Amino acid sequence: MDWQGQKLAEQIMQVLLLVFAVVSLVAGYVLGSFQTMMLVYAGGVTLTTLITVPNWPFFNRHPLKWLDPGEAEKYPKPQVAVSSKKKGTKK
Amino acid sequence: MHSFGYRLNGLLTFSVTILAIMCAIASLSDNLNTPSPSAEIQVMNINWFQKQPQGNDEVSLTMNISADLQTLFTWNTKQLFIFVAAEYETPKNSLNQVSLWDAIIPAKEHAKFWIHTSNKYRFVDQGNNLRGKEFNLTLHWHVMPKTGKMFADKIVLTGYSFPEEYR
């Protein structure tokens, strides 16, 4: 998942859970059944899990551009300087 | 959202928090209910009325209890606990309450009922004050919810009295 995908997944998760909470409350109250509310909400949580938790392709539409290995070799890593890196006051 | 486990954890904790808020709202919705219960208790017979060896009065009576408590049930009601108590005043205690019978009503369909029964629990006074005494029979109920606040209320029925003499 890329950065945009992470943000999208979190937003979808919050919106879906809130919507299902309201829908299940209203459904349970109108039908007079507490069990209806719990079942609708449980279904909603499962659906939200399936949509937002796995790493679906549509969350990866702005993929990160990692550096190509060929390019990386042109710029070798700097050597870690051990001896000169003492306390700077000594001169 | 950096990994599968991170997203799953976030979703689960958020959904459980929302569930707690939903249960609180469900409990608050019980306040919208306006119940209109009714009840009647007839004392059919005083079976016996004696003074115990220790000096306390004891009475056994048969009652016919009929009630319609259907309007107390809401979508958030698990069961109704009801009991009948006899209330009277004595020189020693300003209020005596003796529980005579109780029941659990599990569903709305069972809330309209009548029952012919003797007292389930013994009716023993603290002393020997009951001869000729007037008393009230009160039907108490506790509306036990599936989640949230429990409501309790009662109906007071007056006009009952004990016989003047032991029998």
Side-chain angles (χ1 to χ4, degrees), chain A residues 1 6 10 24 41 52-53, chain B residues 1-2 7 11 15 18 22:
Chain A
M1 236 188 239
Q6 287 177 10
E10 179 161 5
S24 64
Y41 186 63
T52 63
V53 172
Chain B
M1 305 306 190
H2 302 288
R7 286 191 295 278
L11 185 145
S15 65
I18 290 183
M22 281 162 61

Side-chain angles (χ1 to χ4, degrees), chain A residues 1 3 6 10 13-14 17-18 21 24-25 28-29 32-34 37-38 41 45 48-49 52-54, chain B residues 1-4 7-8 10-12 14-16 18-19 22-23 25-26 29 32 74-76 146-147:
Chain A
M1 236 188 239
W3 304 117
Q6 287 177 10
E10 179 161 5
M13 186 262 290
Q14 289 169 342
L17 283 180
L18 283 171
S24 64
L25 256 180
Y29 185 71
S33 165
F34 199 83
M37 177 177 93
M38 296 306 287
Y41 186 63
V45 170
T48 310
T49 312
T52 63
V53 172
Chain B
M1 305 306 190
H2 302 288
S3 72
F4 185 93
R7 286 191 295 278
L8 187 62
L11 185 145
L12 284 174
F14 193 51
S15 65
V16 170
I18 290 183
L19 182 65
M22 281 162 61
C23 287
I25 294 175
S29 78
L32 300 172
T74 71
W75 71 305
N76 186 29
K146 292 195 171 101
T147 70

Side-chain angles (χ1 to χ4, degrees), chain A residues 57-79:
Chain A
F58 64 83
F59 285 126
N60 208 18
R61 281 192 290 221
H62 304 268
L64 296 159
K65 292 187 185 54
W66 296 108
L67 193 60
D68 189 56
E71 285 283 314
E73 280 172 10
K74 292 188 197 167
Y75 304 96
K77 276 191 184 171
Q79 296 293 326

Side-chain angles (χ1 to χ4, degrees), chain A residues 3-29:
Chain A
W3 304 117
Q4 297 288 351
Q6 287 177 10
K7 180 173 163 188
L8 184 64
E10 179 161 5
Q11 283 173 337
I12 292 179
M13 186 262 290
Q14 289 169 342
V15 165
L16 272 183
L17 283 180
L18 283 171
V19 162
F20 269 103
V22 169
V23 164
S24 64
L25 256 180
V26 168
Y29 185 71

